[in-house]
Amino acid sequence: MDLGLTGKIALVTGSSRGIGRGVALALAQEGCDLMLTGRDASALAEVANSIRSGGRKAAVCVLDLREPTAPKTLVEAVRREFGALDILVNNAGTTKRGDFFALTDTDWEEGYALKFFAHVRLARAAWPLLKARRGSLIAIGGTSGRKPEKHFTIGSSVNAAVAAFTKCLADLGKDDDVQVNCIHPSLVETERQWKRIRAEVERTGEPEAKVRERFCRELGINRYGTVEDVADLVTFILSKRATWLRGATIDLDGGEIPVL
C-alpha cells in the first residue's frame, strides 16, 4: 500500500529510543526525511545513521525540551536543515509512578514539563510550518489518560491533558488545514517498561516471565505491544489513506479490559 509519505519532512521528539525511535525509523522506511531530537547524542546518532543508510536524510538536534526556549530552537533547526515541516510527532515525555502521598510537587512539575508543556510550546512554534504545508501532528499520550489509576496519578493526569489539548488543536486545524490526532498506547516493549518489570522482579522475587504474564492478565491482554505496533498506526494516520481522521484519540491497547 502506497502511503504517500515519500519526500515528507518529519520531526519526532524523543527519537533516541523506544516509541520515538520506532516511529522515526518507520517514517524513514516510508520515504520521509527526519529531524531527530532528544538528550542522548550517541543514541540519536545511531538512529540517524540507520536512516541515512536507507537513503533518507536525517538531522539531529540534541536538547532538553523541558527548557522553555528549546522548542523554538528545535523549530529553527528544522528550518535550517530542511526549510519546511510536514509532520510533527510529539512523543517525548515520561512521568513518575508511585504512591500519591509520596509524590512531590517537583515530581508533578517534571511530569508536566516534558509530557505536556513541551508539547504545547513545540506545537505553537511548529504550527506555521505545518500550516504552510497542510501538515499533520500526532501526540503520543497513554491509556491512563482515559483509564486513570491510583498508582499513576501524574501520568494519568498528564495524558488526559495531552488528549484534551490535542482535541483543541484539531479544532484549530480545521481552520488551518492541519491534521491533528492523539494515540494512547498501553503496555509497549520499551526500556521504560523493562525497568518496571525488573523492579517488580526484584520486589517479588518472581521470574520475569511470570511478572509479564501477570501484568498482561491484570489488563486482560494477550501480549505486550511493540514499538512497531505504534509506528504502524502512526504511519497510517499520517498517510493519504487517513486524511479525514481528525481530532481522534485512539487507544492502542490490545483490547485492554482491566481485571477487577
Side-chain angles (χ1 to χ4, degrees):
M1 180 186 293
D2 178 14
L3 297 182
L5 294 175
T6 299
K8 300 285 188 181
I9 300 160
L11 164 59
V12 181
T13 68
S15 41
S16 61
R17 55 179 53 85
I19 289 173
R21 179 182 185 275
V23 168
L25 293 175
L27 288 173
Q29 289 173 359
E30 293 297 332
C32 293
D33 295 322
L34 272 297
M35 171 61 80
L36 308 172
T37 188
R39 290 174 286 174
D40 188 332
S42 61
L44 288 169
E46 184 273 326
V47 180
N49 289 336
S50 295
I51 291 170
R52 293 169 187 144
S53 68
R56 301 310 310 182
K57 183 177 180 181
V60 171
C61 185
V62 181
L63 46 69
D64 186 345
L65 282 170
R66 293 174 297 185
E67 298 296 328
T69 60
K72 182 179 178 181
T73 299
L74 180 56
V75 171
E76 289 172 352
V78 172
R79 290 182 188 273
R80 182 174 62 251
E81 294 288 342
F82 299 101
L85 183 66
D86 298 288
I87 295 164
L88 169 59
V89 181
N90 267 333
N91 164 75
T94 60
T95 54
K96 189 173 181 179
R97 300 181 67 88
D99 178 1
F100 167 67
F101 297 102
L103 296 168
T104 66
D105 285 354
T106 299
D107 294 329
W108 281 85
E109 289 164 2
E110 289 182 351
Y112 271 89
L114 184 56
K115 191 72 185 270
F116 183 72
F117 285 113
H119 286 210
V120 172
R121 295 186 185 110
L122 186 52
R124 185 167 53 216
W127 196 264
L129 292 179
L130 295 174
K131 180 179 177 180
R133 301 272 282 210
R134 297 180 176 179
S136 299
L137 184 155
I138 292 181
I140 306 297
T143 51
S144 64
R146 280 187 170 166
K147 293 168 276 191
E149 53 101 358
K150 64 183 178 182
H151 296 298
F152 203 42
T153 51
I154 300 176
S156 298
S157 302
V158 171
N159 287 327
V162 167
F165 172 64
T166 304
K167 188 70 172 181
C168 294
L169 282 185
D171 200 24
L172 177 62
K174 290 185 291 185
D175 297 329
D176 291 347
D177 205 8
V178 176
Q179 179 198 31
V180 182
N181 293 285
C182 179
I183 298 173
H184 277 339
S186 184
L187 295 183
V188 176
E189 290 279 3
T190 63
E191 177 61 28
R192 183 183 179 192
Q193 285 297 331
W194 298 333
K195 287 180 179 178
R196 185 183 174 198
I197 291 168
R198 288 195 293 267
E200 188 68 4
V201 168
E202 183 175 343
R203 185 185 73 84
T204 64
E206 295 176 343
E208 179 180 329
K210 187 173 181 180
V211 170
R212 284 174 171 272
E213 190 275 332
R214 175 161 54 80
F215 282 176
C216 289
R217 185 178 66 251
E218 288 171 354
L219 293 177
I221 58 178
N222 295 327
R223 65 169 175 86
Y224 271 65
T226 66
V227 294
E228 291 79 16
D229 290 324
V230 182
D232 286 345
L233 180 57
V234 169
T235 54
F236 174 74
I237 291 173
L238 296 172
S239 78
K240 65 182 182 181
R241 304 279 181 163
T243 57
W244 206 45
L245 186 64
R246 291 171 179 257
T249 299
I250 301 173
D251 284 0
L252 186 62
D253 61 6
E256 181 178 305
I257 302 178
V259 178
L260 301 178

